[in-house]
Amino acid sequence: MTTLPLADRRNNQYLIPAALISLLFIASLRIVLENVKNSHHSRAFFWQTGGGYRVVRRPVSVSNDEIIETGCDIFEGKWVWDNVSHPLYTEESCPLLVKQVTCQKNGRPDSYYQNWKWQPHGCNLPRFNGLKLLEILRDKRLMFVGDSVQRSMFDSMVCLVQSVIPEGKKSLKRVPPRKIFRAEEYNASIEFYWAPFLVESISDHATNHTVLKRLVRLDSIHNHSKQWEGVDILVFESYVWWMYKPTINATYGNLKNVQEYDVTKAYRIAMETWGNWIETSINTHDQKVFFMTMSPTHLW
Ligand SMILES: *[C@@H]1O[C@H](CO)[C@@H](O)[C@H](O)[C@H]1NC(C)=O
Ligand SMILES: *[C@@H]1O[C@H](CO)[C@@H](O)[C@H](O)[C@H]1NC(C)=O
Ligand SMILES: *[C@@H]1O[C@H](CO)[C@@H](O)[C@H](O)[C@H]1NC(C)=O
Ligand SMILES: *[C@@H]1O[C@H](CO)[C@@H](O)[C@H](O)[C@H]1NC(C)=O
Ligand SMILES: *[C@@H]1O[C@H](CO)[C@@H](O)[C@H](O)[C@H]1NC(C)=O
């Protein structure tokens, strides 16, 4: 990634990945769970088959660690501290991380924040397994769309899977506004697409954009959405709406007619633009869409 302008660098260095990794984990769990549900078995689990995994009926001898019980609401739960099975990766084990998102290299003295694990009330989750995820993503594209919070999600997802792929069989390319991680043997890609407000804005340049001066085009999404078409799994997020002021400059229709909106009102209109695109362009049979509504406060 190229260097960010100073203002953005200053603000982004506080977008600490810890809480984000956790959110990402939920997102990836959801993907795993959805795929398990789609298997039409009452109790499903992943069965290892020579490096790959497939979902089959539960034989008698399978360990409980491999099972997500049908009907378990994985979204009801709490964070528990677990320094035995977590972290799932470290900064050292993931050479693809840029310095901006490396807490340890940037001098954070403690490491406890890496040991949190999501514990649903009603069941246990299988340990994250990169090979399982890659098998699910075979011949597919998974794309994270959003701002720097989402970029951290992408980074985390890449770190979670990259260590199980041999050298030479994986690549990371920066093609602004996209970052593309490829797992060649799976014909799978995990991508990030920079669209900080989801709809179009003057902040859409991936590396050269203002943070303090915002201008959002509430009714325009096409410049972005044409590059989201056909993606198998889309994960959307936008935090920047809530970053500074309770008002934001935006246009609707005529680009010369700039108005100051309450952020909540502008956000609602932008979400309608986004929702209309989803409704007209997503094939719910083949594609999955996730939307991350909230981010914890993370500006320090
Ligand atoms: C986990 O934390 C406990 C203290 O809570 C410590 O005694 C133990 O050595 C730690 N284990 C690992 C693997 O870091
Ligand atoms: C590779 O994956 C893409 C989707 O990302 C798909 O369109 C294409 O058909 C796949 N190629 C093969 C050979 O299966
Ligand atoms: C969208 O793309 C068109 C054509 O390239 C360009 O004129 C327009 O300025 C773009 N919109 C934004 C917000 O960048
Ligand atoms: C960044 O964008 C500004 C405003 O569009 C422009 O004046 C400046 O030349 C750009 N800087 C670089 C390095 O591209
Ligand atoms: C909106 O734009 C005007 C004119 O550039 C500026 O004075 C005002 O501070 C902007 N409002 C916000 C919330 O950025």
Side-chain angles (χ1 to χ4, degrees):
M1 199 175 311
T2 40
T3 315
L4 293 167
L6 191 59
D8 202 22
R9 195 187 307 147
R10 191 168 57 236
N11 286 296
N12 274 331
Q13 73 187 10
Y14 300 110
L15 302 186
I16 306 294
L20 311 178
I21 291 165
S22 311
L23 287 171
L24 169 72
F25 188 59
I26 301 271
S28 53
L29 272 176
R30 181 67 188 261
I31 291 160
V32 171
L33 191 73
E34 289 286 325
N35 279 277
V36 169
K37 274 187 186 153
N38 287 346
S39 72
H40 305 299
H41 296 303
S42 55
R43 268 166 94 81
F45 78 106
F46 292 98
W47 182 254
Q48 191 165 14
T49 54
Y53 285 79
R54 64 196 168 91
V55 178
V56 296
R57 235 174 247 288
R58 181 193 183 194
V60 192
S61 62
V62 160
S63 120
N64 281 334
D65 299 348
E66 295 283 299
I67 299 163
I68 303 172
E69 283 178 38
T70 307
C72 174
D73 184 351
I74 61 160
F75 299 97
E76 288 292 325
K78 63 178 180 193
W79 294 102
V80 296
W81 199 72
D82 174 0
N83 71 341
V84 178
S85 68
H86 285 57
L88 296 168
Y89 69 87
T90 61
E91 287 177 16
E92 290 73 37
S93 73
C94 191
L96 300 173
L97 287 175
V98 296
K99 184 159 187 284
Q100 185 194 31
V101 293
T102 50
C103 295
Q104 305 286 308
K105 274 187 202 139
N106 281 302
R108 182 165 175 161
D110 64 300
S111 61
Y112 294 118
Y113 63 93
Q114 299 181 333
N115 298 122
W116 293 98
K117 176 175 87 173
W118 182 249
Q119 179 62 58
H121 294 316
C123 59
N124 290 319
L125 294 173
R127 184 180 159 84
F128 180 88
N129 183 317
L131 288 174
K132 288 180 191 173
L133 189 79
L134 286 169
E135 196 52 59
I136 288 166
L137 292 180
R138 187 182 286 280
D139 297 327
K140 290 194 170 64
R141 293 168 69 196
L142 161 63
M143 187 188 273
F144 293 90
V145 179
D147 56 26
S148 61
V149 171
Q150 190 74 315
R151 194 171 53 219
S152 291
M153 292 295 192
F154 164 83
D155 289 341
S156 293
M157 182 59 103
V158 168
C159 289
L160 282 165
V161 301
Q162 66 87 25
S163 63
V164 301
I165 306 169
E167 289 305 327
K169 305 285 187 193
K170 56 189 168 189
S171 62
L172 179 65
K173 282 200 197 117
R174 294 174 176 87
V175 192
R178 287 159 74 199
K179 286 176 83 177
I180 304 159
F181 177 80
R182 291 267 314 151
E184 295 307 335
E185 287 180 326
Y186 291 84
N187 183 33
S189 47
I190 301 173
E191 306 174 31
F192 168 68
Y193 185 100
W194 172 261
F197 288 90
L198 299 182
V199 294
E200 291 169 25
S201 76
I202 60 165
S203 306
D204 288 344
H205 193 285
T207 51
N208 181 16
H209 54 261
T210 66
V211 167
L212 292 172
K213 195 160 169 264
R214 304 292 202 187
L215 180 58
V216 183
R217 295 174 59 174
L218 299 177
D219 58 339
S220 302
I221 199 164
H222 182 70
N223 282 11
H224 296 315
S225 63
K226 64 186 177 206
Q227 300 198 53
W228 306 336
E229 272 161 23
V231 174
D232 301 279
I233 304 165
L234 282 159
V235 188
F236 292 95
E237 171 275 348
S238 177
Y239 165 75
V240 287
W241 288 93
W242 319 107
M243 217 159 154
Y244 291 110
K245 297 183 191 156
T247 57
I248 194 163
N249 279 330
T251 60
Y252 190 95
N254 188 350
L255 294 182
K256 296 207 172 78
N257 184 13
V258 177
Q259 279 183 278
E260 216 170 70
Y261 287 74
D262 284 342
V263 170
T264 48
K265 185 173 179 213
Y267 183 71
R268 181 187 301 273
I269 298 169
M271 286 301 97
E272 279 166 8
T273 302
W274 173 83
N276 286 339
W277 179 78
I278 295 288
E279 274 180 17
T280 54
S281 308
I282 294 291
N283 173 348
T284 52
H285 188 68
D286 299 326
Q287 293 168 287
K288 288 183 169 50
V289 176
F290 298 89
F291 186 79
M292 191 159 73
T293 52
M294 296 245 284
S295 163
T297 304
H298 56 270
L299 286 177
W300 57 87

